[in-house]
Amino acid sequence: MTQAFWRTIMSVSEQTFSQLPYVRPDLSALKASIDVITSTLDASPDAEKTLAAIRSWNSVRMQFSTMHSLAEVRYTQNVADTEAKSEKEFFDAEYPTITEWFTSVIKRILASPHRDAIVGAFGNLFIKRLEAGDRTFDPSIKDLLVEETRLCTEYSDITASAKIDVDGTTYNLSSILKLQIDLDRDVRLKAVKAQYAWLEQNSERIEGIYDRLVKLRTERAHALGYPSYTEFRYEEFGRVDYTANDVAVFRQAVIDHVVPLVTRFRQAQARRLGLDQIELHDERVQFVDGNPLAEGDHDWIVDKAQRMYADLSPETHEFFDLMLQRELLDLKTRENKATGGYCTSFPTYGVPFIFANFNKTTHDVEVLTHEAGHAFQAYRSRTYDVPEYLWPTAEACEIHSMGMEFLTWPWMDLFFGKQTDKFRFYHLQGALLFLPYGCAVDQFQHWVYANPSATPAERNAEWKRLEGVYMPWRDASSVPYAAHGTQWQFQKHIIEAPFYYIDYALAQTCALQYWQRSLEDRTQ
């Protein structure tokens, strides 16, 4: 990839997402660029030449990251697209080797006699992140990384291609959630049973994938001298200022203070619905007349969001108009589209991208504001030329997203009209209801990686036990397979992004503080 090519790339400032150029990285050219950088650093250059070499390396990494992100997005848009899957498989197979090349630069930077100049130019966090990257990679684990990525892709393919039949209509794992908020309790039960029937049919594959992932990750950690994958992952994930013990203290606080509160919320929910007790298929329905829903479809919601962000600030106005003009949102659910929602960015092009699955529930507005929080942060960071600073670590990322959910409260009437107060209750209560679940996911993973030889049945039993600790109201007796403790298998973070979940709970506590302060003085 020549400099002339990248100058051409930078000229695409008005192109839509579908027009953004994608070129599979030329590995020979990439290796040659890395060799030039390492040769420069090996020649004992002065501080100025050292900094110039690091800037060249940062540029190479951002160019590579842009193509990688484009390939990932296009694959998740349609996991059945053979061309998109081929590009993803290229990155999956070659990424460990490219990481090895990048690590060769890291080692030279860390050994440089110009440490003070490097810190002065790029910050101390830059060095800390490089040190963590150096400690968590070695060429000996490359094959393990390739296999881990392959298994995660297999799980994504399974969930994205789910076809769940309910009364002759086929749903995927996103669209079936609409039935689970139906006012007819029998419809809800039928939908939840169908969802778990699909899970049971695929359980052998999913549990097998996860079992292999746990063992691979443990082997990788041991190969690099870590006592378990937990310690390894904390460092790999960039958690440089808190530990697993700190997280355990947080989880205990949630057990002591939040679980009793939200248990009362569930009891009040049962009374509102006229039920003696909430069961699993009732959990998503908060009101006897239905959850608050946006008063229009996808295009209507996006139109209202454009008005909201125009009012919120000049910066958000500019940001969201750009997202629309350049078609940087993919929000509609469809067959073979990956589940969930996320935000990514294309550093060389200076733009973020939002991916979601609208399913005609309250979550449509929530996920849009959530991912827009990520995207706005990425947009505001677009001029940074250090990859480590384009995104903060995960718990800080989620403060931006969850904070945006609350900072947009004054405009929720645009979406919900007369249901706005109902939405605010639903959203605020939901933020608190989430905390125990988020902590359960985290504690489950700590247990899993402390017991890597556990059987699938033992993992399900541990999840069931944790439901009793964090969600004591849960009654899955009408859905037998769920009652075995299998819900965690739907949580893709557990499979694909281990230990990325407590970040949401930590960030939620900060977002709630933003909400409180915004009520006191929005100008601040």
Side-chain angles (χ1 to χ4, degrees):
M1 292 176 287
T2 66
Q3 289 299 313
F5 171 79
W6 288 110
R7 283 196 295 272
T8 300
I9 290 294
M10 292 300 291
S11 70
V12 299
S13 60
E14 300 304 319
Q15 291 186 341
T16 63
F17 169 74
S18 62
Q19 296 169 333
L20 292 177
Y22 169 79
V23 177
R24 177 185 286 192
D26 181 332
L27 296 184
S28 297
L30 179 58
K31 182 62 165 64
S33 296
I34 295 298
D35 287 345
V36 168
I37 293 166
T38 55
S39 295
T40 299
L41 294 173
D42 285 342
S44 301
D46 59 23
E48 184 177 342
K49 290 181 180 178
T50 297
L51 297 181
I54 294 173
R55 291 189 180 98
S56 294
W57 178 58
N58 287 342
S59 178
V60 168
R61 289 192 294 155
M62 292 174 76
Q63 293 161 10
F64 175 80
S65 175
T66 296
M67 296 301 115
H68 190 189
S69 292
L70 279 170
E72 287 287 335
V73 169
R74 287 171 177 165
Y75 164 72
T76 57
Q77 288 182 311
N78 181 3
V79 301
D81 183 327
T82 55
E83 182 178 348
K85 189 166 186 177
S86 174
E87 293 309 299
K88 175 174 170 51
E89 289 173 345
F90 164 80
F91 281 99
D92 291 349
E94 301 299 339
Y95 195 83
T97 294
I98 293 162
T99 300
E100 180 181 3
W101 298 345
F102 288 167
T103 302
S104 71
V105 179
I106 290 174
K107 290 182 180 298
R108 288 165 170 83
I109 293 172
L110 296 178
S112 172
H114 305 297
R115 172 71 69 98
D116 289 345
I118 295 170
V119 170
F122 303 108
N124 192 51
L125 181 60
F126 175 71
I127 293 294
K128 285 187 176 182
R129 297 289 292 274
L130 296 192
E131 288 173 338
D134 184 41
R135 287 192 292 266
T136 54
F137 178 81
D138 184 85
S140 64
I141 67 170
K142 285 165 56 177
D143 289 345
L144 297 176
L145 290 170
V146 171
E147 178 63 5
E148 180 178 345
T149 303
R150 187 193 68 77
L151 290 168
C152 289
T153 300
E154 185 179 347
Y155 172 80
S156 183
D157 287 349
I158 292 169
T159 54
S161 59
K163 293 179 173 59
I164 304 170
D165 181 81
V166 180
D167 292 337
T169 300
T170 301
Y171 299 87
N172 59 29
L173 289 173
S174 297
S175 59
I176 199 170
L177 298 182
K178 173 65 176 175
L179 295 184
Q180 295 179 20
I181 61 168
D182 197 280
L183 294 183
D184 187 328
R185 200 179 189 208
D186 290 337
V187 171
R188 299 199 299 269
L189 179 58
K190 187 179 295 185
V192 173
K193 281 185 172 181
Q195 182 182 8
Y196 276 90
W198 175 88
L199 183 62
E200 186 171 12
Q201 291 164 8
N202 289 274
S203 63
E204 185 174 349
R205 293 179 66 191
I206 291 174
E207 290 177 345
I209 287 169
Y210 191 59
D211 190 66
R212 282 177 282 164
L213 283 170
V214 170
K215 290 176 171 58
L216 279 172
R217 288 163 177 162
T218 299
E219 183 180 352
R220 178 153 56 104
H222 288 169
L224 295 180
Y226 291 84
S228 78
Y229 181 73
T230 302
E231 290 85 356
F232 169 88
R233 183 59 171 161
Y234 267 63
E235 182 147 35
E236 183 185 47
F237 217 40
R239 293 176 177 169
V240 297
D241 50 5
Y242 64 96
T243 68
N245 289 335
D246 296 319
V247 171
V249 171
F250 176 82
R251 291 197 309 261
Q252 188 60 50
V254 170
I255 292 171
D256 293 342
H257 302 289
V258 181
V259 170
L261 174 64
V262 299
T263 298
R264 294 198 295 273
F265 289 171
R266 289 299 190 188
Q267 292 166 349
Q269 178 185 0
R271 291 193 295 271
R272 286 196 301 274
L273 298 179
L275 302 173
D276 292 332
Q277 182 176 336
I278 293 292
E279 294 191 46
L280 181 63
H281 54 287
D282 303 313
E283 287 187 7
R284 295 182 183 274
V285 181
Q286 285 293 334
F287 303 96
V288 70
D289 59 345
N291 291 349
L293 299 176
E295 296 181 337
D297 60 8
H298 166 278
D299 293 349
W300 184 91
I301 291 173
V302 171
D303 179 69
K304 299 302 181 186
Q306 184 176 23
R307 177 178 165 186
M308 173 178 72
Y309 284 116
D311 289 347
L312 181 57
S313 74
E315 293 83 2
T316 55
H317 186 184
E318 173 188 272
F319 149 73
F320 203 74
D321 279 0
L322 175 139
M323 297 293 289
L324 295 180
Q325 291 161 8
R326 298 185 62 182
E327 300 175 3
L328 296 166
L329 304 97
D330 181 357
L331 308 175
K332 295 180 179 179
T333 191
R334 57 184 176 272
E335 187 176 358
N336 293 319
K337 184 179 181 181
T339 59
Y342 65 80
C343 174
T344 189
S345 65
F346 313 121
T348 303
Y349 301 144
V351 293
F353 184 88
I354 292 175
F355 176 100
N357 279 277
F358 278 12
N359 55 11
K360 298 181 181 179
T361 68
T362 315
H363 190 58
D364 292 350
V365 174
E366 291 176 318
V367 73
L368 178 56
T369 54
H370 180 100
E371 300 302 342
H374 285 308
F376 183 58
Q377 176 267 304
Y379 179 68
R380 296 287 286 174
S381 303
R382 69 192 183 281
T383 59
Y384 294 167
D385 57 5
V386 179
E388 283 73 17
Y389 297 156
L390 293 176
W391 296 91
T393 48
E395 67 289 305
C397 282
E398 298 306 336
I399 295 172
H400 294 117
S401 58
M402 291 174 154
M404 180 67 82
E405 292 181 43
F406 283 106
L407 292 176
T408 53
W409 260 34
W411 290 270
M412 287 301 104
D413 61 302
L414 294 176
F415 303 97
F416 296 102
K418 294 180 180 179
Q419 302 179 84
T420 300
D421 286 343
K422 184 194 284 189
F423 167 77
R424 288 176 178 147
F425 174 89
Y426 177 96
H427 182 221
L428 184 58
Q429 178 183 254
L432 295 168
L433 283 168
F434 169 77
L435 292 175
Y437 175 74
C439 289
V441 169
D442 183 69
Q443 187 166 337
F444 176 70
Q445 293 183 91
H446 279 81
W447 182 90
V448 164
Y449 290 104
N451 299 275
S453 298
T455 65
E458 288 170 334
R459 293 187 188 115
N460 291 340
E462 176 61 13
W463 177 260
K464 180 68 175 176
R465 185 189 73 81
L466 290 172
E467 284 186 337
V469 174
Y470 288 100
M471 294 163 278
W473 59 81
R474 175 152 291 169
D475 178 0
S477 57
S478 296
V479 189
Y481 193 63
H484 294 323
T486 55
Q487 187 204 8
W488 66 269
Q489 295 175 32
F490 286 118
Q491 190 59 63
K492 66 187 300 181
H493 297 72
I494 294 175
I495 313 293
E496 299 179 4
F499 289 104
Y500 185 179
Y501 216 72
I502 196 64
D503 311 86
Y504 293 106
L506 295 171
Q508 190 71 278
T509 63
C510 297
L512 287 166
Q513 293 174 67
Y514 276 123
W515 166 72
Q516 182 181 21
R517 293 181 182 185
S518 73
L519 296 179
E520 296 168 355
D521 186 354
R522 285 194 62 84
T523 63
Q524 296 299 315

